[in-house]
Amino acid sequence: MGTIFDASCWAIVWKYRATFVNGFLNTLLTAAAGLVLALVLGVVIGLCSTGEKKFLRILARIYVEFFQNTPVILQVCFLYYALAYSGVRVSVVTVGIISLGVYTGAYMAEVIRAGITAIPTGQFDAALSQGFDRLQTMRLIILPQTVKIILPPMVNQMANLIKNTSCLFIIGGADLIATTYNFVTGESTGGAYGPAYLVGGLLFFCMCYPLSLMASKWEAHLKQKSVQTNDDKKEVTA
């Protein structure tokens, strides 16, 4: 790490800054697309795990337990080599989107399940008595109330997904970690370990920190809005 104060090493990093930008954009693309997949799977599996049909609850449990209890790096490797040996050609980014999306979807499903079960059952009964079907009850009444509950853990999973893109390094990915490693071991760029890894870390920080900060402000706003609503109700009843 002594090279972190070496001006010549920083000059090399600046000269090849496009390498880090490319890795940053690939990581961002993989994380964003993987997050969309994870949210879709999380909502579907979360609803199945709290549904009335036992068969769907069992399937949801199997999905969650399997993907939560196996390493994500193993899932990435399995998908990559399974597709390769079956003759299906896909990019490393696509493999990353699918594997990370499915993996994070298991955690999102648990977050959503916990949020749904935290809502009093009386609200389900009240909605059904008013003529709402289960889907309408979830979409219009239950899920909007779970936002304050699921937001903090969901943001944590979003940040974890971004950081888990580093697993693509093992299959020769074009993510930020892979491009940084290729940079520090390159024939013409090797040796600038300190500056290169510091830049890589700062770029990861730039992706994760604003997300956490935004979610914290959103959560505080929702709590304040909830308190204000309760105060208004008390004034009306008084």
Side-chain angles (χ1 to χ4, degrees), residues 32-52:
L35 177 60
V36 172
L37 178 59
L39 288 173
V40 172
L41 289 173
V43 171
V44 172
I45 301 301
L47 291 175
C48 288
S49 63
T50 56
E52 299 175 345

Side-chain angles (χ1 to χ4, degrees), residues 147-157 215 219 223:
V147 173
K148 289 179 290 185
I149 302 171
I150 68 177
L151 188 58
M154 187 171 284
V155 168
N156 289 333
Q157 293 307 321
E219 181 187 8
K223 286 183 177 180

Side-chain angles (χ1 to χ4, degrees), residues 182-196:
N182 291 335
F183 177 86
V184 299
T185 57
E187 184 176 347
S188 59
T189 58
Y193 294 96

Side-chain angles (χ1 to χ4, degrees), residues 138-165:
M138 284 292 183
R139 182 170 60 87
L140 300 174
I141 299 175
I142 304 302
L143 289 180
Q145 295 184 73
T146 66
V147 173
K148 289 179 290 185
I149 302 171
I150 68 177
L151 188 58
M154 187 171 284
V155 168
N156 289 333
Q157 293 307 321
M158 292 178 183
N160 286 337
L161 189 153
I162 293 174
K163 289 179 284 188
N164 282 336
T165 58

Side-chain angles (χ1 to χ4, degrees), residues 59-131:
L59 285 181
R61 196 74 251 151
I62 292 173
Y63 169 81
V64 169
E65 293 297 339
F66 176 80
F67 286 102
Q68 283 192 354
N69 292 288
T70 53
V72 62
I73 194 168
L74 177 63
Q75 297 170 25
V76 170
C77 290
F78 176 81
L79 179 61
Y80 178 76
Y81 289 110
L83 291 175
Y85 282 117
S86 62
V88 179
R89 293 183 175 275
V90 294
S91 66
V92 174
V93 172
T94 302
V95 171
I97 291 170
I98 297 172
S99 55
L100 294 178
V102 172
Y103 174 78
T104 308
Y107 288 90
M108 291 293 190
E110 281 295 273
V111 170
I112 292 172
R113 182 192 64 80
I116 293 174
T117 55
I119 304 300
T121 56
Q123 301 220 16
F124 289 89
D125 298 333
L128 294 175
S129 67
Q130 294 297 317

